[in-house]
Amino acid sequence: MNETLDLNRFHDINDLRLVMKALRDKANGCPWDSVQTHESIRQDCLEEAYEVCDAIDRNDMADLREELGDLLLQVVFHSAMEEEKGNFTFDDVCDAVATKMIQRHPHVFKDREGYIGAEKYDMWETAKREEHGQRSTADAVDGVAHTLPSVWRLSKMVKKAGKAGFEEYPNLKSSADSLVESIENGAFDNIGDIYSEFMLSLVSRLYGKIDMEKTLQDACDRFAGQVRCWEEHHEN
């Protein structure tokens, strides 16, 4: 990699790495950037990913370009921290994901004819399990990222369990009736458990039919609009 950073020309990924190296320099770098850790910028990574999705939802391609850059910066930032420790580099990250994509797409990179008609999802899931040492459906279900929004995480878990034939979910009507009854009677001692049973049943029924996470986000947007209209009406 060229170690000279030209501040005035078009910048590529190598320049971004040099920028990060300069920012992280303990003697002459940025006082803030140079002391950050994985834990201290963990939330930033999540926020940048959500802002990428927000730009996509708004079909704002100029903003998408900027937000993708912010998300890429997080990858370079975390990689730089580990390079300083001698653990891995940004190139190692690129190699790992390229190797993963090759292994998960044998129908593209290996025996193309031999995989004609094969279930692509099954190949993908099998490769993922092998990579993560998951020996069972339970391992795969528990392996869904715990940091995902709860409805999104639950939907992915239901998907993985359903592929193995799991169908032991709470009865939707019974769980809904129990939830309504508890609310109406003011019985809130164990309402958390009742609510979670209801949500599990609901997600299991709606998985594959709607994107529940996006549906709830749309509901948030509609509610914000309703509050705005309500406020404007009462101000007048």
Side-chain angles (χ1 to χ4, degrees):
M1 181 178 66
N2 185 359
E3 292 294 326
T4 302
L5 177 62
D6 185 338
L7 302 180
N8 299 312
R9 68 172 174 82
F10 181 88
H11 298 120
D12 58 22
I13 185 61
N14 287 332
D15 293 315
L16 180 57
R17 294 168 68 183
L18 290 174
V19 167
M20 180 55 62
K21 184 176 181 180
L23 292 174
R24 291 282 295 174
D25 186 88
K26 300 302 181 184
N28 301 307
C30 170
W32 186 86
D33 290 286
S34 62
V35 298
Q36 296 309 304
T37 65
H38 293 305
E39 292 73 21
S40 68
I41 64 170
R42 173 185 177 278
Q43 193 71 17
D44 295 340
C45 192
L46 286 171
E47 290 178 6
E48 298 300 353
Y50 278 115
E51 288 175 4
V52 166
C53 294
D54 182 62
I56 293 172
D57 291 343
R58 291 184 286 103
N59 196 32
D60 189 333
M61 295 302 103
D63 195 30
L64 177 60
R65 180 183 64 181
E66 180 178 349
E67 297 302 343
L68 285 171
D70 291 342
L71 183 57
L72 176 60
L73 177 64
Q74 294 298 311
V75 178
V76 172
F77 210 151
H78 287 283
S79 299
M81 294 178 191
E82 290 308 300
E83 184 171 3
E84 293 163 6
K85 301 173 186 176
N87 291 333
F88 61 79
T89 68
F90 178 78
D91 285 340
D92 293 325
V93 172
C94 294
D95 175 68
V97 70
T99 300
K100 180 190 297 183
M101 292 299 100
I102 292 170
Q103 291 175 342
R104 292 187 185 180
H105 295 82
H107 54 293
V108 176
F109 298 104
K110 296 181 181 179
D111 182 8
R112 189 176 188 87
E113 294 299 321
Y115 286 97
I116 291 178
E119 288 291 337
K120 303 302 185 295
Y121 175 82
D122 290 342
M123 288 191 296
W124 179 273
E125 282 298 303
T126 298
K128 283 183 66 175
R129 289 192 183 189
E130 291 176 353
E131 290 164 10
H132 297 288
Q134 297 170 348
R135 294 170 294 183
S136 66
T137 298
D139 287 343
V141 169
D142 191 48
V144 175
H146 291 214
T147 50
L148 285 175
S150 57
V151 173
W152 186 358
R153 180 187 173 202
L154 186 56
S155 296
K156 289 177 70 70
M157 295 171 77
V158 166
K159 177 180 179 179
K160 291 179 182 293
K163 281 289 181 178
F166 182 90
E167 296 180 347
E168 297 180 18
Y169 298 105
N171 180 273
L172 179 60
K173 186 178 186 307
S174 296
S175 57
D177 289 344
S178 295
L179 182 62
V180 171
E181 182 180 353
S182 296
I183 293 173
E184 290 180 343
N185 294 335
F188 298 115
D189 289 343
N190 65 335
I191 199 168
D193 292 336
I194 298 172
Y195 169 71
S196 63
E197 289 285 291
F198 168 71
M199 287 302 299
L200 177 57
S201 178
L202 186 64
V203 170
S204 69
R205 293 293 189 91
L206 293 181
Y207 162 72
K209 298 178 177 62
I210 62 172
D211 183 337
M212 294 191 67
E213 189 68 32
K214 187 178 186 306
T215 299
L216 289 173
Q217 291 291 350
D218 291 342
C220 291
D221 293 338
R222 288 196 302 273
F223 180 65
Q226 290 171 359
V227 172
R228 184 176 300 279
C229 290
W230 171 85
E231 189 173 52
E232 291 173 351
H233 174 75
H234 281 75
E235 286 177 350
N236 295 329

